[in-house]
Amino acid sequence: MSAIQLSPQKRKQILRVIFISLLLDLISFTFILPLFPKLLEFYRKLETQDDSSSLLNHILLGLNAYKRSFSRPISDRYDIVLLGGALGSLFSFLQAIASPIIGTLSDKYGRRTALLWSMAGNIASVALWVAATDFRTFLVSRIVGGLSEGNVQLATAMAADVSDDKQRGATMALVGVSFSIAFTIGPALGAALANIETVKSNPFATAAGFSLFLIVGETMYLYFYLPETLPSSRARPATNGSILKTGSEQQKHTNSHTLLNFTHFIFILFFSGMEFSLPFMTYDLFAYTSSQSGRLLGFMGLIASILQGSVTRRLHPLRVVQLGVVACAASFFMLGRLTTEAGLWGAATLLAVTTATVVTGLNSLSSFEAAEGERGGKLGNHRSWGQIGRSCGPLLFCTLYWWAGRDVAYAIGGAGMLGVCAIVFGTLKAPVKSLHRK
């Protein structure tokens, strides 16, 4: 389907609002990423000393029982990393539940309405973090956030709404650029704000408070400047009195949504597991500190943002996905055999290529296969499958890493990514509409 009829100036204005709001949202979201170790350590010291029957103490006992099930010893240093991974998996699982619902509601009631309700949930989530003087409140804040976060998928749907078939790939790359910029800036800013203590009972209230400021500011910006982008033509009276649908009945598919969703799931399953294992590997091989790991991730974010602004937006979405999965497979095999820091940074460069390409390309391909009146729901389902992969990947891959060792884990991961390459090169095809792009 073509984009809704907009003047170039109006389309540019809407895309600017989408980009700025998504950037603010993601910067706020990434604040907490580098804080997880110290934040969870704070709650552990606070609650396991005062109350051995606390919720956090029970969770840590369960994680330690899991850790002791392996034949090789695992340092206590990783207790907090495991807890952070468990919370990340919970957030992704909740997103997998919420994403299709949010997308379907946006098809029914409009993107703007769904997004503003989603932002209300985000505000509640971050406000709970500001007030989280105990782990239980912090956990509730993560649950509320997981069930309400819808900015990413709705931004993708809105970008598709205002883009025709020729513009689709470049527009999706713009969404990807906001990710890379946010993941380059947000963690560093969050870490800096965490050094400013304003509330003794919650040392991270400054970072949380600034995150809340960004989310509230984003919500007000959306309320005043974002128009509705859902095409009003999704259901029009036909000449014979019936309803002329622009849904799946009239949509001709080149790639089924089942195939695209499965590709997204299996890719994220392997990729997220490898992402989560990097801190373990860099510590084991090179004794990397948190700041050194942060510099490595910042380098990857910078390379990804440059690629998305230059390469990804110009290539066909299918070529973008193909480039990314090949780079990911190569990085898996490099990580399994590297012995030098130069090799690590080389593998990180390949991972940056993957970050800049695969998800952006798959989102674009999925949007080509969705009619106007079902785009929110279809993209929500697509994101949901990716989040299922992200909720399972870290646990499965780290279990393999600790049970069989680095060489075997990355070799199996590389073999799995070769399977993803086979799916991408062997079954995915360029949508007919996308071939009209210049």
Side-chain angles (χ1 to χ4, degrees):
M1 290 292 171
S2 61
I4 55 179
Q5 296 301 312
L6 293 171
S7 66
Q9 183 178 2
K10 185 66 173 178
R11 177 178 181 272
K12 186 177 180 180
Q13 176 188 349
I14 293 174
L15 287 176
R16 185 187 301 116
V17 173
I18 293 172
F19 178 79
I20 293 175
S21 66
L22 186 57
L23 187 60
L24 290 173
D25 189 83
L26 291 171
I27 290 175
S28 174
F29 175 79
T30 56
F31 266 19
I32 199 171
L33 298 182
L35 307 184
F36 260 123
K38 289 184 178 180
L39 189 149
L40 296 176
E41 185 65 39
F42 165 74
Y43 289 127
R44 181 169 70 170
K45 289 180 179 178
L46 177 69
E47 298 194 14
T48 56
Q49 291 177 359
D50 296 342
D51 183 7
S52 60
S53 63
S54 68
L55 174 63
L56 179 57
N57 193 57
H58 283 300
I59 293 173
L60 287 171
L61 288 174
L63 289 175
N64 274 288
Y66 166 72
K67 192 178 69 172
R68 287 192 298 269
S69 67
F70 296 96
S71 56
R72 57 180 295 188
I74 300 171
S75 171
D76 289 341
R77 175 183 184 272
Y78 294 136
D79 287 356
I80 295 298
V81 179
L82 277 173
L83 179 57
L87 289 176
S89 293
L90 172 64
F91 187 90
S92 296
F93 175 73
L94 295 172
Q95 278 279 278
I97 296 172
S99 292
I101 299 172
I102 293 173
T104 300
L105 290 175
S106 79
D107 286 334
K108 184 175 181 180
Y109 298 106
R111 314 283 190 235
R112 184 177 185 275
T113 299
L115 182 54
L116 289 175
W117 278 108
S118 172
M119 293 306 302
N122 288 343
I123 290 173
S125 171
V126 182
L128 283 167
W129 181 26
V130 174
T133 57
D134 58 79
F135 178 75
R136 192 182 299 271
T137 305
F138 176 72
L139 180 61
V140 172
S141 78
R142 299 302 292 170
I143 292 173
V144 172
L147 290 173
S148 59
E149 172 60 46
N151 194 301
V152 174
Q153 71 180 82
L154 292 176
T156 303
M158 290 186 293
D161 288 340
V162 300
S163 303
D164 61 26
D165 298 334
K166 295 179 181 179
Q167 301 163 331
R168 190 74 51 83
T171 304
M172 291 300 174
L174 185 67
V175 174
V177 168
S178 65
F179 265 90
S180 298
I181 294 174
F183 275 80
T184 303
I185 298 174
L189 185 57
L193 290 170
N195 293 323
I196 305 173
E197 184 175 326
T198 55
V199 180
K200 187 174 182 180
S201 57
N202 182 2
F204 305 94
T206 304
F210 195 77
S211 178
L212 181 61
F213 169 76
L214 290 179
I215 290 293
V216 171
E218 177 195 357
T219 304
M220 295 178 64
Y221 179 61
L222 288 169
Y223 181 82
F224 286 109
Y225 292 102
L226 179 69
E228 179 55 62
T229 66
L230 180 67
S232 59
S233 60
R234 70 183 189 275
R236 302 186 301 272
T239 55
N240 61 0
S242 62
I243 296 297
L244 177 61
K245 298 179 181 179
T246 60
S248 59
E249 295 92 338
Q250 291 188 338
Q251 183 74 11
K252 294 181 180 179
H253 297 293
T254 304
N255 304 298
S256 71
H257 284 288
T258 300
L259 175 61
L260 289 169
N261 292 344
F262 176 75
T263 305
H264 194 202
F265 162 74
I266 200 70
F267 165 75
I268 292 294
L269 180 72
F270 286 105
F271 182 71
S272 64
M274 179 269 298
E275 267 188 320
F276 188 69
S277 72
L278 275 179
F280 300 99
M281 191 205 69
T282 55
Y283 177 77
D284 286 340
L285 288 182
F286 308 114
Y288 262 30
T289 63
S290 297
S291 61
Q292 288 174 304
S293 295
R295 283 196 293 271
L296 183 67
L297 294 175
F299 167 77
M300 290 168 58
L302 177 62
I303 296 298
S305 62
I306 293 172
L307 289 173
Q308 283 170 326
S310 57
V311 177
T312 304
R313 65 187 300 269
R314 290 182 171 86
L315 288 179
H316 187 281
L318 181 58
R319 297 289 174 260
V320 166
V321 177
Q322 291 172 341
L323 172 64
V325 294
V326 169
C328 191
S331 68
F332 261 104
F333 290 113
M334 284 186 66
L335 289 170
R337 302 180 65 85
L338 63 85
T339 56
T340 65
E341 286 192 71
L344 173 64
W345 286 79
T349 302
L350 291 174
L351 291 176
V353 174
T354 302
T355 302
T357 53
V358 179
V359 173
T360 298
L362 286 174
N363 283 339
S364 185
L365 291 175
S366 184
S367 71
F368 273 114
E369 305 297 346
E372 290 172 348
E374 62 178 9
R375 188 172 289 144
K378 293 298 185 184
L379 289 176
N381 285 332
H382 185 72
R383 177 171 170 79
S384 176
W385 280 99
Q387 292 299 317
I388 293 172
R390 191 171 292 278
S391 68
C392 300
L395 177 63
L396 294 176
F397 194 83
C398 285
T399 298
L400 183 62
Y401 185 98
W402 286 327
W403 191 265
R406 174 174 69 103
D407 296 352
V408 174
Y410 284 109
I412 292 176
M417 196 53 63
L418 287 178
V420 176
C421 290
I423 294 173
V424 170
F425 282 90
T427 62
L428 292 184
K429 298 178 176 61
V432 176
K433 294 182 294 183
S434 69
L435 298 177
H436 299 302
R437 294 175 62 207
K438 294 181 180 179

